[in-house]
């Protein structure tokens, strides 16, 4: 059995990056208490909603992968994939100091909270934004409030639904659309940014390697073997599509907060 990464002291808020961490998980079932995360993705946006990087990997759930007909992940896809505890230190680094964002964010948060709890790491109370709730308030023309319906109503184009990275990218685009709406006052998201910057997060020692001495892999969908990460500013894993410039309202609000370019 792999040893758990050692728990270290909480990170100082001043050392944390600001902005948003848009998350999505695919899981082996619907219950965070009984089921496990089988894929996780994070799309990072700064305080002005500019893209900073992405992270994605399949995970070994140490059991059946669950509803393949929904998430399209087969058992053989997770062979050789990391366990959650192996990527937990990096995941904490990506989330630290940021507002947690998701489409029905309470679900993604619950799965992450339980996965961290299984390795003895309590997540701090972190400010969050739910794009489903934002869409209800600022995208009334949507025919429904599932992610696909909201993305279509916002005119954001197609995306790889029910993949963690596809859903996270779509949610990031939806966040930018909703926060740029004239009906969305900057205070609705400026305050969560300030709160997130003050939250102390735990740190974990990095998982250096497998017992065999091999480095901990990241495994992407459609790859029969671990893919080496492609880094940009120390954060980006894998390819990312270009995003449209942040809306003018977002730039103006971020400038009012004293953000730097």
């Amino acid at each position: 059995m792999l040893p758990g990464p050692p728990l270290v002291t909480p990170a100082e808020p001043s050392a944390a990056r600001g902005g948003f961490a848009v998350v999505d998980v695919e899981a082996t079932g619907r219950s965070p208490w009984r089921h496990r995360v089988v894929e996780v993705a994070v799309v990072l946006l700064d305080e002005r909603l500019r893209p900073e990087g992405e992270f994605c990997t399949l995970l070994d759930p140490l059991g059946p992968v669950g509803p393949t007909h929904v998430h399209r992940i087969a058992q053989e896809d997770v062979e050789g994939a990391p366990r959650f505890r192996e990527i937990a230190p990096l995941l904490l680094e990506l989330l630290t100091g940021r507002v947690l964002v998701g489409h029905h964010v309470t679900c993604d948060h619950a799965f992450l909270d339980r996965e961290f709890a299984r390795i003895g790491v309590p997540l701090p109370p972190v400010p969050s934004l739910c794009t489903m709730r934002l869409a209800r308030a600022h995208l009334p023309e949507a025919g429904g409030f599932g992610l696909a319906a909201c993305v279509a109503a916002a005119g954001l184009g197609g995306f790889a639904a029910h993949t963690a990275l596809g859903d996270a990218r779509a949610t990031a685009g939806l966040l930018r659309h909703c926060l740029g709406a004239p009906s969305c006052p900057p205070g609705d998201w400026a305050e969560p940014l300030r709160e997130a910057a003050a939250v102390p997060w735990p740190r974990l020692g990095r998982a250096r390697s497998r017992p065999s001495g091999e480095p901990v892999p990241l495994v992407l969908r459609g790859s029969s073997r671990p893919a080496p990460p492609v880094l940009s500013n120390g954060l980006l894993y894998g390819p990312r599509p270009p995003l449209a410039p942040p809306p003018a309202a977002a730039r103006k609000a971020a400038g009012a907060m004293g953000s730097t370019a």
Side-chain angles (χ1 to χ4, degrees):
M1 180 178 295
L2 290 172
L7 182 64
V8 192
T9 56
E12 292 295 329
S14 60
R17 293 176 179 267
F20 304 89
V22 186
V23 301
D24 188 81
V25 303
E26 299 298 322
T28 62
R30 295 185 177 183
S31 170
W33 294 89
R34 294 187 294 109
H35 301 119
R36 303 295 302 271
V37 173
V38 73
E39 186 181 35
V40 59
V42 183
V43 173
L44 301 179
L45 304 176
D46 69 10
E47 291 178 343
R48 299 188 181 190
L49 301 174
R50 297 174 300 192
E52 291 188 303
E54 297 175 340
F55 168 84
C56 184
T57 187
L58 293 169
L59 295 171
D60 181 356
L62 304 178
V65 295
T68 298
H69 66 285
V70 175
H71 52 52
R72 302 189 301 280
I73 299 170
Q75 201 69 42
E76 57 268 23
D77 293 334
V78 300
E79 293 179 4
R83 302 178 186 181
F84 184 86
R85 69 192 311 153
E86 293 179 297
I87 59 97
L90 177 56
L91 198 53
L92 283 176
E93 291 176 18
L94 298 180
L95 300 180
T96 295
R98 297 179 184 267
V99 178
L100 192 70
V101 181
H103 199 74
H104 192 19
V105 69
T106 54
C107 178
D108 297 293
H109 179 271
F111 272 101
L112 291 176
D113 185 67
R114 286 306 306 156
E115 289 288 358
F116 277 109
R118 288 185 179 102
I119 62 172
V121 179
L123 288 186
V126 58
S128 63
L129 286 176
C130 180
T131 53
M132 182 181 290
R133 292 184 179 181
L134 287 170
R136 289 181 184 276
H138 307 297
L139 197 62
E141 64 271 28
F145 294 99
L147 183 57
C150 292
V151 166
L156 298 178
F159 67 102
H162 296 298
T163 70
L165 187 55
D167 286 356
R169 285 172 172 170
T171 301
L174 185 60
L175 176 73
R176 292 156 65 90
H177 181 88
C178 289
L179 295 189
S183 58
C184 183
D188 282 4
W189 52 283
E191 184 58 31
L193 282 171
R194 284 190 285 266
E195 293 175 0
V199 174
W201 279 73
R203 287 176 177 169
L204 292 175
R206 286 287 188 94
R208 294 181 297 274
S209 65
R210 293 284 178 83
S212 62
E214 297 177 352
V216 175
L218 298 180
V219 178
L220 303 179
R221 283 180 184 248
S223 174
S224 60
R225 56 185 179 181
V230 180
L231 300 180
S232 173
N233 296 326
L235 291 172
L236 176 63
Y237 285 77
R240 63 174 174 178
L243 294 179
R251 293 196 298 269
K252 181 178 179 181
M257 291 176 59
S259 299
T260 57

